[in-house]
């Protein structure tokens, strides 16, 4: 069955530290997409990245980087030189071609607190 | 351009009552999905609508229903409210139905059932 696991419930770091948020997924599909969303205290989910199952290239966007490894079914997210504004709950999500079209399967989220 | 909007922002109901939540998608988006997010959990898929038809349904009881209007806005209805229905209800819109479409989320409606 499809599933997304974010084993880290909460992480606390000091500003400027690097932090990695883990995501492990399960799916029987060979075609799927993986997403990361950020949820600040306001509650609105903010899209960060989308990656398809055929593209294992790592991606960097400013202080954010993502490491996708199909061999370990992982899609980890690293924030370099963290800032207080990075404090939020981060969700990893899976979307498959089979099953209900277009729905996202979310992990339970990792709450990141960045202290000054 | 306006993002996804939802109303109301907050709502307090008592057990057994009925509630209607509303969502307006981003202009040009034809697909609307609804998610329930219980405190401390990730969002769970409830429904997806596209071109006014239900195209996907999550594992929720029949007390939950929804519809999409010709202007692509949507309503989520919950009957016979239970305490466990207390949650943040999120609406997301996307251009189309495909599983790879990015979904844009609204700010949510926080429902409290007493």
């Amino acid at each position: 069955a499809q599933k997304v696991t974010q084993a880290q419930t909460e992480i606390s770091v000091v500003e400027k530290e690097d932090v990695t948020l883990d995501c492990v997924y399960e799916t029987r599909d060979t075609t799927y997409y993986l997403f990361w969303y950020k949820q600040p205290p306001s509650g609105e989910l903010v899209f960060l990245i989308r990656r398809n199952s055929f593209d294992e290239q790592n991606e960097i966007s400013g202080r954010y980087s993502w490491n996708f490894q199909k061999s370990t079914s992982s899609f980890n997210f690293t924030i370099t030189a963290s800032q207080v504004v990075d404090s939020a709950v981060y969700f990893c999500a899976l979307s498959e071609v089979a099953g209900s079209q277009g729905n996202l399967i979310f992990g339970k989220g990792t709450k990141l607190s960045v202290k000054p | 351009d306006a993002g996804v909007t939802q109303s109301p922002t907050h709502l307090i109901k008592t057990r057994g009552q009925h509630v209607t939540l509303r969502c307006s998608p981003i202009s040009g988006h034809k697909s609307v999905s609804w998610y329930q997010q219980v405190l401390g959990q990730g969002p769970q898929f409830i429904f997806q609508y596209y071109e006014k038809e239900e195209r996907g349904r999550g594992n929720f009881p029949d007390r939950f229903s929804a519809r999409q209007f010709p202007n692509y806005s949507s309503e989520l209805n919950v009957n016979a409210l239970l305490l466990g229905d207390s949650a943040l209800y999120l609406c997301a819109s996307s251009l189309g139905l495909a599983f790879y479409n990015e979904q844009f989320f609204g700010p949510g409606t926080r429902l409290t059932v007493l």
Side-chain angles (χ1 to χ4, degrees):
Chain A
Q2 61 272 45
K3 187 179 176 182
V4 175
T5 301
Q6 295 179 256
Q8 304 150 309
T9 306
E10 291 192 44
I11 300 176
S12 183
V13 298
V14 176
E15 212 170 15
K16 298 184 183 176
E17 281 186 28
D18 298 348
V19 58
T20 295
L21 309 182
D22 297 334
C23 173
V24 174
Y25 62 92
E26 294 175 31
T27 178
R28 293 180 187 172
D29 274 359
T30 55
T31 304
Y32 53 88
Y33 272 76
L34 295 164
F35 300 78
W36 275 94
Y37 282 86
K38 174 182 180 180
Q39 188 174 43
S42 61
E44 188 168 339
L45 283 165
V46 177
F47 168 81
L48 295 177
I49 191 173
R50 171 182 52 199
R51 170 69 71 221
N52 76 57
S53 52
F54 300 108
D55 182 2
E56 286 193 73
Q57 273 198 329
N58 292 330
E59 181 156 340
I60 298 175
S61 176
R63 296 184 297 107
Y64 295 170
S65 63
W66 291 269
N67 181 273
F68 176 30
Q69 291 195 339
K70 285 179 76 171
S71 60
T72 56
S73 298
S74 65
F75 186 43
N76 296 336
F77 172 31
T78 297
I79 303 174
T80 303
S82 60
Q83 299 177 1
V84 173
V85 292
D86 296 327
S87 297
V89 181
Y90 290 86
F91 291 97
C92 180
L94 166 71
S95 179
E96 305 168 312
V97 65
S100 290
Q101 293 255 344
N103 67 295
L104 293 167
I105 301 158
F106 285 87
K108 292 187 176 181
T110 297
K111 183 177 181 181
L112 175 64
S113 298
V114 181
K115 304 198 184 305
Chain B
D1 284 345
V4 177
T5 59
Q6 292 186 244
S7 62
T9 308
H10 294 86
L11 205 49
I12 299 175
K13 293 284 188 178
T14 56
R15 281 180 298 174
Q17 285 190 312
H18 162 91
V19 69
T20 297
L21 310 181
R22 295 178 176 83
C23 171
S24 292
I26 291 172
S27 177
H29 285 194
K30 298 182 177 180
S31 176
V32 169
S33 297
W34 287 96
Y35 292 81
Q36 180 197 65
Q37 186 179 15
V38 173
L39 196 61
Q41 302 291 318
Q44 275 204 299
F45 172 69
I46 309 175
F47 287 110
Q48 183 181 39
Y49 275 76
Y50 179 74
E51 292 284 13
K52 295 168 286 180
E53 289 188 9
E54 181 184 304
R55 296 302 189 100
R57 173 186 280 257
N59 189 22
F60 280 82
D62 291 344
R63 299 184 296 106
F64 289 76
S65 63
R67 55 179 175 168
Q68 186 177 33
F69 299 99
N71 66 354
Y72 303 110
S73 67
S74 177
E75 281 183 356
L76 174 70
N77 295 285
V78 187
N79 290 325
L81 284 167
L82 303 173
L83 295 179
D85 295 331
S86 294
L88 179 68
Y89 287 85
L90 295 163
C91 172
S93 76
S94 57
L95 277 171
L97 195 61
F99 73 107
Y100 51 77
N101 282 147
E102 178 188 339
Q103 295 192 26
F104 295 82
F105 284 82
T109 294
R110 187 161 298 281
L111 172 65
T112 302
V113 182
L114 302 176

